[in-house]
Amino acid sequence: MGSARAFSELRLVNGSAGDPVLYIDYPDGDNAILFDGGDNCSLTMQQLGDLEAVFITHHHVDHFIGLDRIMRANIDRDKTLHLFGPETTIQKVYDRIRSYEYPFFPFQKIVVRVTELLSGRTRTALLECTKKFPEPEIREQVWRGRVCYENDAVTVEAVPVEHTVPCWAYALCEKIGFHPDPAKLAGGMLRPGNWVGDVLRKIRVGEPGSTILTIQGGSFTLDSLAENYFAESGGARVAFVTDTQWSETLRPELVKLAKGASRLYCDSFYAKKEAKGAAQYKHMMAHQAAELAKLAKVEQLVLMHFATRYAGKYEMLIDEAKEVFPRTTAEI
Ligand SMILES: [Zn+2]
Ligand SMILES: [Zn+2]
């Protein structure tokens, strides 16, 4: 049995053959999570404006080019956008932001909170629009364990992987507890809106079920809202692993990261016969993605980051993975 999941949308933005980008959204606003910063042209400005946190694996262009659209969608918002990545992310994001000319309208209050992940420590800086983006002040902190980000609904874990440049793999883990139920919300009498977040906070802090709330002209008890629009679920894990070799030393860490995941999205750049290329450019082969899926006992493996040389014959990669792990899919 799979873990109940709370997300309302889980989308491999460019499919298995394009830049690996994963968009995960939840009911309510400003709470979407994005894994990787490659091409995101098929996400609307509204979807990007709904982002709460972005997790960059590394700075190769196919994983970082989309930062411009992320900034554009968020620059006139009054919120904090969290952005994670490997060392030098602060300077790189700062340089990009500084490369634009701004009118600096008073309503532009975006704060980009950039965190660099290093082994055993993090470096964080706030890039603030209201201050007209002065040089970042960096705060360094000890970082133990794997959790790099946490909100009321999810935690995100990170582990360093082995690519040609510093690179991280991530997993999102939903907390067990009450979450908005996307199906119930879609079919319910009340239109989704700000009340969803308000009601959720009241449920989570344990306000009495008899509390009466007025929403869209009607009165409801907290208990009835909990039953009709929310579900007790969570624990679902989604792992995002890309641009790494599959080595003995990395194996235990990646297996732990992907353990029991509802879905593992995994690098499968090469087929078996390109073992040399995989070793040289530090990518995974499709059958290695399947080995990881098997060891981590995931529910579903989604292959991604197919090299363009396989265009028209992607089936080859899918078949090689399926031989090792039958619950393999790809989005072509
Ligand atoms: Zn790369
Ligand atoms: Zn890549």
Side-chain angles (χ1 to χ4, degrees):
M1 260 304 287
S3 331
R5 50 214 73 172
F7 50 76
S8 53
E9 187 180 0
L10 180 64
R11 184 166 156 209
L12 187 61
V13 172
N14 304 304
S16 297
D19 294 357
V21 175
L22 183 66
Y23 182 83
I24 306 179
D25 199 11
Y26 290 86
D28 206 4
D30 283 350
N31 57 6
I33 305 262
L34 190 71
F35 288 105
D36 237 348
D39 180 3
N40 52 39
C41 287
S42 68
L43 289 173
T44 63
M45 282 291 139
Q46 196 187 336
Q47 285 171 312
L48 290 171
D50 193 19
L51 286 174
E52 171 178 315
V54 179
F55 298 85
I56 307 283
T57 59
H58 64 301
H59 303 123
H60 279 152
V61 68
D62 51 330
H63 301 261
F64 202 44
I65 188 80
L67 183 68
D68 291 313
R69 290 190 82 239
I70 293 169
M71 283 312 304
R72 187 169 185 195
N74 287 281
I75 193 68
D76 57 359
R77 306 288 299 268
D78 179 6
K79 71 175 198 190
T80 297
L81 175 68
H82 300 263
L83 211 145
F84 292 77
E87 59 188 81
T88 71
T89 298
I90 293 171
Q91 192 63 43
K92 286 184 160 72
V93 173
Y94 179 70
D95 289 345
R96 285 274 268 286
I97 289 178
R98 291 291 302 197
S99 74
Y100 313 124
E101 298 288 352
Y102 293 105
F104 290 110
F105 290 119
F107 57 81
Q108 292 179 317
K109 292 181 179 149
I110 183 76
V111 175
V112 186
R113 189 177 194 278
V114 190
T115 301
E116 288 178 5
L117 305 174
L118 295 102
S119 86
R121 63 201 167 96
T122 59
R123 302 171 84 233
T124 300
L126 300 179
L127 310 181
E128 296 175 79
C129 194
T130 54
K131 294 185 181 167
K132 306 197 173 185
F133 299 115
E135 279 290 326
E137 277 176 40
I138 296 171
R139 205 163 48 94
E140 201 162 303
Q141 268 190 312
V142 175
W143 175 39
R144 291 198 187 83
R146 311 149 70 88
V147 174
C148 65
Y149 184 68
E150 177 167 12
N151 66 20
D152 287 347
V154 303
T155 57
V156 175
E157 299 174 8
V159 298
V161 294
E162 296 167 3
H163 194 37
T164 52
V165 293
C167 186
W168 290 80
Y170 297 101
L172 170 134
C173 191
E174 294 183 344
K175 291 183 180 174
I176 293 167
F178 274 94
H179 294 266
D181 185 317
K184 288 181 183 174
L185 277 169
M189 191 177 84
L190 292 173
R191 293 181 306 281
N194 289 338
W195 65 270
V196 175
D198 295 341
V199 170
L200 185 60
R201 275 182 287 279
K202 288 185 181 359
I203 296 171
R204 283 185 177 151
V205 300
E207 277 199 27
S210 55
T211 307
I212 305 277
L213 297 162
T214 306
I215 301 165
Q216 293 168 14
S219 296
F220 308 89
T221 63
L222 194 56
D223 267 348
S224 72
L225 291 165
E227 186 177 331
N228 291 324
Y229 297 96
F230 297 83
E232 217 167 352
S233 66
R237 178 178 281 264
V238 176
F240 186 86
V241 177
T242 195
D243 291 52
T244 179
Q245 63 182 357
W246 179 230
S247 74
E248 293 287 335
T249 45
L250 199 54
R251 189 165 312 179
E253 284 302 304
L254 284 184
V255 169
K256 220 188 285 174
L257 187 78
K259 197 92 203 168
S262 309
R263 283 193 204 170
L264 162 63
Y265 291 84
C266 193
D267 185 8
S268 35
F269 202 83
Y270 289 112
K272 259 183 193 167
K273 66 171 196 263
E274 259 82 43
K276 239 174 100 181
Q280 186 179 352
Y281 299 107
K282 298 193 192 306
H283 272 286
M284 283 171 79
M285 290 177 274
H287 75 281
Q288 295 174 323
E291 270 174 44
L292 170 57
K294 192 175 168 183
L295 289 170
K297 298 187 170 66
V298 306
E299 287 172 36
Q300 195 187 4
L301 167 65
V302 184
L303 302 177
M304 62 179 190
H305 213 0
F306 291 163
T308 46
R309 68 171 69 204
Y310 302 105
K313 42 184 180 177
Y314 292 131
E315 286 303 321
M316 190 173 136
L317 296 163
I318 302 166
D319 289 346
E320 286 187 6
K322 272 191 172 165
E323 249 174 63
V324 179
F325 189 77
R327 292 191 302 278
T328 296
T329 58
E331 295 172 21
I332 299 164

